[in-house]
Amino acid sequence: MEPLKAIPGTHDILPPDAERWDKLRSQIEQLMAQYGYGRIETPHFESVELFARGVGATSDIVQKEMYTFSDQGGRPLALRPEGTAGVVRAYLEAGLDRQRPFWKLWYWGPMFRAERPQKGRYRQFWQFGVEALGAAGPQIDAEQMVLALRIAAGWGLGAITMKINSVGDRDCRPAYRRMLHAFLTGVSDRLCPDCQRRLETNPLRILDCKEEACRAATADAPLLIDHLCPPCAGHFSSVREFLDLAEAPYEVDGRIVRGLDYYERTAFEITSANLGAQSSILGGGRYDGLSQALGGPAMPAVGWAAGVERFVLAAGEVKADTPLLDAFVATFPETVRAGYQLAESLRARGFCIDIDYLGRSMKAQLKEAGRSRSRCAIVVGPDEWGRDAVVLRDLARGTQEEVPVAQLADRLRHE
Ligand code: HAM
């Protein structure tokens, strides 16, 4: 029988990669605390309607990429393709706005999109993200971007670019959309089949199509950034002012549109030069209309999300060499029980300890101690054990000496 395999587009997170994931997560936890974000977890599946109303019925994500299914009660459900709609739903459902007028929340978890898998693009992938709910002013937009840059820098992603844009609001977008539609109708025969379809449903998306033909056809297209209403233009220039105050590097790019329909005003993306085609490591923007689209009150909000796999890929290979264990307990057949007791008593005192379970030779156990990235090996020899002692071996230096069991914890602490 053929061994079963993971579903295409999904992947396992194995050691030592899992360690890097944990490291990234703990760095993020620290920065989120520094910026005052509280954690939120929402379900991995929600109603299809949430995403149709939230992300947008005409978006590629809802039209082509959602994993949908019906449960036993016949309810139409979807594995979440992104986190923002669920966070806003949870916020409205719990009435968080009645407790405090402004919230900063962050999350980390798997998302699901039926995209064509390739390096850096998966069908189950992890995102971490932030959402700030309740503030309309430009300061929080800029602060979130600065936080994103800080996380990327802390993770050692040198060559990154942040591009920012304004996609206008309900006042200025309709007139611009008509202008863009008129322009695109004139070049529609040069657009890719996807963009020909988008012409009627979502013409703005055509501007950030990666197809060469579409890029050429839209080179002279009008950009919304040149046709913003005065309040949107004012918001955008204030966001830039706050970015400058923090000395954050960015470029203005009128073609950043983003693949989710909820954005208004601020939209931004961070790309990494270390990745190939899937270079976007983080994206976000303002979504002042989302609460109302979900049946809630008007509520300004802004957020971003980043791909964990892409963060890990963009950082490149990092050698896993930090010690994981304080000691590996190596035993002889006569000292298996003594070693077992010793390991448990050291763990009870807070040490990280592993031991042999396979009845291996001493040589093989010491080799395993090295593989397990232990600082030391504790050899429980029958003679030494008879004297209430063990041999403590420093694996990096290759030195060893006999140590009374009573002094072992102290020695391990200072080794
Ligand atoms: P998004 O741009 O669709 O935004 O996704 C954010 C990030 O998730 C991307 O920059 C990328 O790193 C990662 N990502 C997306 N799709 C995949 C995939 N198939 N495989 C691997 N990584 C992927 C959002 O999801 C919005 N909810 C962000 C947001 C939060 N806007 C406001 N608040």
Side-chain angles (χ1 to χ4, degrees):
M1 222 191 332
E2 283 273 307
L4 293 174
K5 295 212 163 104
I7 307 297
T10 70
H11 63 92
D12 305 304
I13 307 158
L14 305 170
D17 265 358
E19 268 174 60
R20 298 178 65 205
W21 279 54
D22 290 345
K23 195 167 157 201
L24 175 61
R25 178 159 173 154
S26 72
Q27 283 187 8
I28 289 165
E29 276 171 6
Q30 206 181 333
L31 274 157
M32 293 300 173
Q34 272 187 282
Y35 275 79
Y37 281 82
R39 262 221 6 113
I40 182 164
E41 275 290 349
T42 62
H44 294 187
F45 61 90
E46 302 251 13
S47 67
V48 167
E49 194 186 349
L50 172 70
F51 302 112
R53 277 164 61 176
V55 175
T58 63
S59 65
D60 283 356
I61 291 181
V62 169
Q63 284 201 333
K64 300 196 292 199
E65 297 169 2
M66 276 209 304
Y67 280 100
T68 55
F69 58 101
S70 299
D71 69 2
Q72 285 79 348
R75 278 174 287 259
L77 303 174
L79 295 181
R80 61 180 187 185
E82 61 101 50
T84 312
V87 167
V88 174
R89 194 243 347 110
Y91 167 94
L92 294 173
E93 195 170 335
L96 293 184
D97 52 332
R98 290 195 296 274
Q99 295 173 32
R100 276 161 66 187
F102 178 64
W103 286 82
K104 285 183 186 172
L105 302 166
W106 79 279
Y107 51 88
W108 167 294
M111 307 292 162
F112 307 85
R113 295 184 193 173
E115 294 191 84
R116 201 164 41 80
Q118 63 179 84
K119 192 172 179 195
R121 187 163 69 194
Y122 308 99
R123 294 184 160 179
Q124 174 173 333
F125 59 98
W126 266 254
Q127 276 186 349
F128 59 92
V130 295
E131 313 293 353
L133 309 159
Q139 183 177 341
I140 183 67
D141 308 33
E143 191 190 272
Q144 282 194 343
M145 293 186 218
V146 174
L147 167 60
L149 291 173
R150 228 182 264 291
I151 291 176
W155 187 239
L157 301 186
I160 56 165
T161 309
M162 181 166 77
K163 292 187 172 170
I164 71 167
N165 190 20
S166 174
V167 293
D169 66 4
R170 284 159 272 185
D171 286 336
C172 52
R173 202 155 38 195
Y176 165 75
R177 204 182 134 119
R178 281 193 295 278
M179 190 192 307
L180 180 66
H181 187 266
F183 173 90
L184 293 171
T185 308
V187 297
S188 68
D189 53 336
R190 293 164 60 194
L191 300 175
C192 73
D194 262 353
C195 285
Q196 295 200 352
R197 182 177 50 77
R198 288 178 186 136
L199 187 55
E200 297 313 322
T201 56
N202 203 348
L204 266 75
R205 239 6 263 285
I206 297 175
L207 292 179
D208 72 358
C209 179
K210 304 285 179 282
E211 293 288 329
E212 213 30 70
C214 297
R215 294 220 151 239
T218 61
D220 297 325
L223 297 177
L224 184 43
I225 192 138
D226 301 320
H227 300 276
L228 295 173
C229 60
C232 285
H235 184 88
F236 190 58
S237 75
S238 303
V239 170
R240 295 185 59 181
E241 205 182 307
F242 277 104
L243 285 173
D244 293 340
L245 284 173
E247 295 177 15
Y250 64 88
E251 289 170 19
V252 175
D253 182 344
R255 285 176 176 264
I256 298 288
V257 175
R258 314 267 308 122
L260 306 104
D261 291 353
Y262 48 59
Y263 292 114
E264 285 188 14
R265 297 192 165 173
T266 312
F268 64 99
E269 248 168 44
I270 297 181
T271 51
S272 161
N274 297 355
L275 295 175
Q278 303 306 314
S279 62
S280 162
I281 54 165
L282 185 147
R286 185 161 273 288
Y287 50 93
D288 293 347
L290 179 54
S291 169
Q292 282 166 309
L294 300 183
M299 180 196 52
V302 58
W304 54 248
V308 176
E309 287 85 351
R310 293 188 192 176
F311 257 68
V312 171
L313 275 172
E317 282 299 316
V318 180
K319 211 168 166 291
D321 53 6
T322 44
L324 293 179
L325 296 174
D326 293 308
F328 187 94
V329 175
T331 55
F332 292 90
E334 311 89 294
T335 58
V336 166
R337 284 169 178 72
Y340 172 76
Q341 277 190 312
L342 182 67
E344 280 306 334
S345 74
L346 289 170
R347 287 170 180 150
R349 299 177 73 163
F351 293 102
C352 302
I353 304 290
D354 209 354
I355 192 166
D356 178 54
Y357 303 97
L358 305 179
R360 282 175 279 195
S361 69
M362 186 48 62
K363 193 170 158 216
Q365 288 185 62
L366 290 176
K367 200 168 161 197
E368 181 60 31
R371 273 197 297 247
S372 69
R373 288 165 43 208
S374 253
R375 288 192 294 122
C376 306
I378 297 170
V379 179
V380 189
D383 294 346
E384 290 86 359
W385 192 252
R387 297 192 287 275
D388 283 332
V390 291
V391 171
L392 182 62
R393 189 179 167 104
D394 182 316
L395 289 171
R397 287 191 215 120
T399 53
Q400 65 178 46
E401 66 180 295
E402 189 170 318
V403 174
V405 173
Q407 292 170 19
L408 189 57
D410 252 7
R411 285 296 304 274
L412 274 180
R413 219 164 266 132
H414 297 113
E415 193 61 43

